């Protein structure tokens, strides 16, 4: 192979011939040869200054996929919120399955194969009697988490709940979602006031469960409830009936999510609950054919 030095020697020899006296077209040839020689030398010099480029036979697609650009930070995997806590102020619901520390040990399961239906925010003179009638028709006992001021206003409904064999649960005096952030003395006074209203209507009724409004559990509210002989009660099935989505939606959610040990959250007060009442006539026959439905026990703390 001819080297760059050899090519330059050949061009110089031809240049000497052209420069001899008598050569035709001497001036034009000289200019052409000089320009060509300079361009050729520049090309050879430039090639010698370029480093060898590494080969990328494999892994190109991988490198492109993992490319990181200065103006494009890496995408971090997004986690799912655990969801514990209220969905809307003043309502209970959508607080997740309870598999996190935000529940402070509140029960999310019956502990066995039985399923527990729970009804919050009552008693209500329009909807609680309808809920009781549906439960009575299918021979199902449930747990009613009652609000103190509602119990005080409707003692006859507290008595009706107890007469049908249902369990009572303390649900605070006036559904204060922020109750758990108050002092221990304030929490204790609220829960005691609610228990007193319940016992004024049904003196012999056990009250061994407490449900925090909104599912907004804190250590102080759990500690106070335990100190008063009540076990914190959460849930793991929430059809969001407090949003009044209609009987069809309530029914489909409950039937899709319920399983052995489920605690189902529903409402018999706090707004229009006709959808819940109507859904019960679809839910109860389906659930009773698959599970044993029972009120939460009154002999545990």
């Amino acid at each position: 192979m001819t080297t760059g030095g050899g090519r330059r020697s050949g061009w110089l020899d031809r240049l000497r011939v052209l420069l001899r006296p008598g050569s035709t077209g001497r001036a034009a040839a000289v200019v052409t040869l000089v320009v060509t020689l300079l361009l050729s030398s520049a090309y050879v010099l430039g090639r010698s200054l370029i480093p060898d480029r590494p080969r990328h036979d494999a892994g190109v697609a991988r490198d492109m996929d993992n490319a990181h650009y200065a103006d494009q930070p890496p995408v971090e995997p997004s986690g799912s919120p655990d969801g514990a806590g209220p969905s809307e102020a003043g309502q209970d619901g959508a607080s997740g399955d309870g598999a996190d520390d935000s529940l402070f040990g509140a029960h999310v399961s019956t502990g066995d194969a039985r399923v527990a239906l729970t009804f919050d925010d009552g008693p209500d003179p329009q909807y609680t009697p309808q809920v009781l009638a549906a439960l009575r028709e299918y021979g199902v006992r449930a747990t009613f988490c009652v609000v103190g001021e509602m119990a005080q206003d409707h003692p006859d409904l507290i008595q009706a709940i107890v007469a049908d064999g249902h369990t009572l649960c303390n649900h605070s005096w006036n559904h204060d979602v922020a109750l758990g952030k108050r002092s221990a003395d304030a929490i204790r006074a609220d829960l005691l006031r609610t228990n007193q209203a319940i016992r004024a209507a049904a003196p012999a009724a056990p009250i061994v469960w407490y449900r925090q409004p909104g599912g907004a559990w804190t250590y102080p509210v759990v500690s106070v409830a335990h100190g008063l002989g009540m076990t914190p009660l959460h849930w793991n099935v929430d059809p969001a009936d407090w949003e009044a989505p209609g009987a069809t939606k309530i029914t489909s959610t409950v039937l899709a999510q319920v399983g052995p040990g489920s605690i189902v959250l529903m409402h018999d007060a706090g707004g229009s609950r006709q959808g819940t009442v109507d859904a019960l006539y679809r839910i109860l026959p389906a659930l009773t054919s698959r599970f044993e439905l029972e009120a939460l026990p009154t002999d545990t703390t």
Side-chain angles (χ1 to χ4, degrees):
M1 181 175 65
T2 303
T3 64
R7 284 194 294 269
R8 285 193 294 270
S9 297
W11 285 112
L12 289 174
D13 292 338
R14 294 183 63 184
L15 180 61
R16 290 190 190 98
V17 172
L18 290 172
L19 291 176
R20 292 174 183 172
S23 297
T24 61
R26 185 173 52 197
V30 168
V31 172
T32 300
L33 284 173
V34 170
V35 171
T36 303
L37 178 61
L38 291 175
L39 290 175
S40 176
S41 298
Y43 173 78
V44 173
L45 179 61
R47 289 280 299 181
S48 69
L49 293 177
I50 299 176
D52 292 337
R53 298 174 66 180
R55 292 177 58 82
H56 296 285
D57 297 328
V60 174
R62 180 181 66 251
D63 291 341
M64 290 296 290
D65 291 340
N66 294 332
H68 170 62
Y69 302 95
D71 61 346
Q72 182 181 338
V75 177
E76 297 293 337
S78 58
S80 300
D82 55 31
S87 295
E88 280 190 1
Q91 293 291 348
D92 306 324
S95 66
D97 61 8
D100 58 72
D101 294 336
S102 66
L103 300 183
F104 297 92
H107 283 218
V108 296
S109 170
T110 63
D112 54 33
R114 290 176 294 180
V115 170
L117 302 183
T118 65
F119 297 90
D120 284 17
D121 299 354
D124 179 90
Q126 180 175 357
Y127 299 109
T128 301
Q130 296 184 66
V131 170
L132 290 173
L135 295 172
R136 193 180 305 119
E137 180 173 336
Y138 289 93
V140 172
R141 292 177 179 176
T143 299
F144 286 78
C145 298
V146 301
V147 173
E149 61 182 4
M150 298 293 285
Q152 183 180 68
D153 291 345
H154 307 287
D156 56 316
L157 293 178
I158 296 295
Q159 294 164 5
I161 291 170
V162 173
D164 279 1
H166 305 295
T167 300
L168 292 175
C169 167
N170 184 318
H171 196 35
S172 82
W173 177 254
N174 61 356
H175 205 280
D176 182 2
V177 176
L179 180 62
K181 297 181 180 180
R182 306 191 188 284
S183 69
D185 288 342
I187 296 169
R188 186 177 295 104
D190 186 291
L191 272 55
L192 283 172
R193 187 182 183 188
T194 302
N195 281 350
Q196 290 168 0
I198 295 171
R199 290 192 172 115
I207 310 170
V208 300
W209 300 97
Y210 171 72
R211 174 169 281 169
Q212 169 61 21
W217 298 100
T218 64
Y219 175 77
V221 77
V222 168
S223 179
V224 169
H226 278 306
L228 295 176
M230 294 184 291
T231 298
L233 175 64
H234 202 69
W235 60 86
N236 58 13
V237 175
D238 174 22
D241 68 331
W242 49 272
E243 290 184 322
T248 299
K249 179 65 174 178
I250 295 169
T251 302
S252 63
T253 301
V254 170
L255 297 184
Q257 295 183 7
V258 75
S262 289
I263 297 176
V264 182
L265 170 68
M266 289 186 285
H267 296 76
D268 63 328
S272 174
R273 301 296 173 237
Q274 194 59 53
T276 300
V277 172
D278 295 341
L280 283 175
Y281 286 95
R282 308 177 193 179
I283 292 170
L284 291 173
L287 291 187
T288 53
S289 68
R290 297 166 53 196
F291 305 100
E292 180 183 353
L293 273 60
E294 191 54 82
L296 290 165
T298 59
D299 57 354
T300 184
T301 59

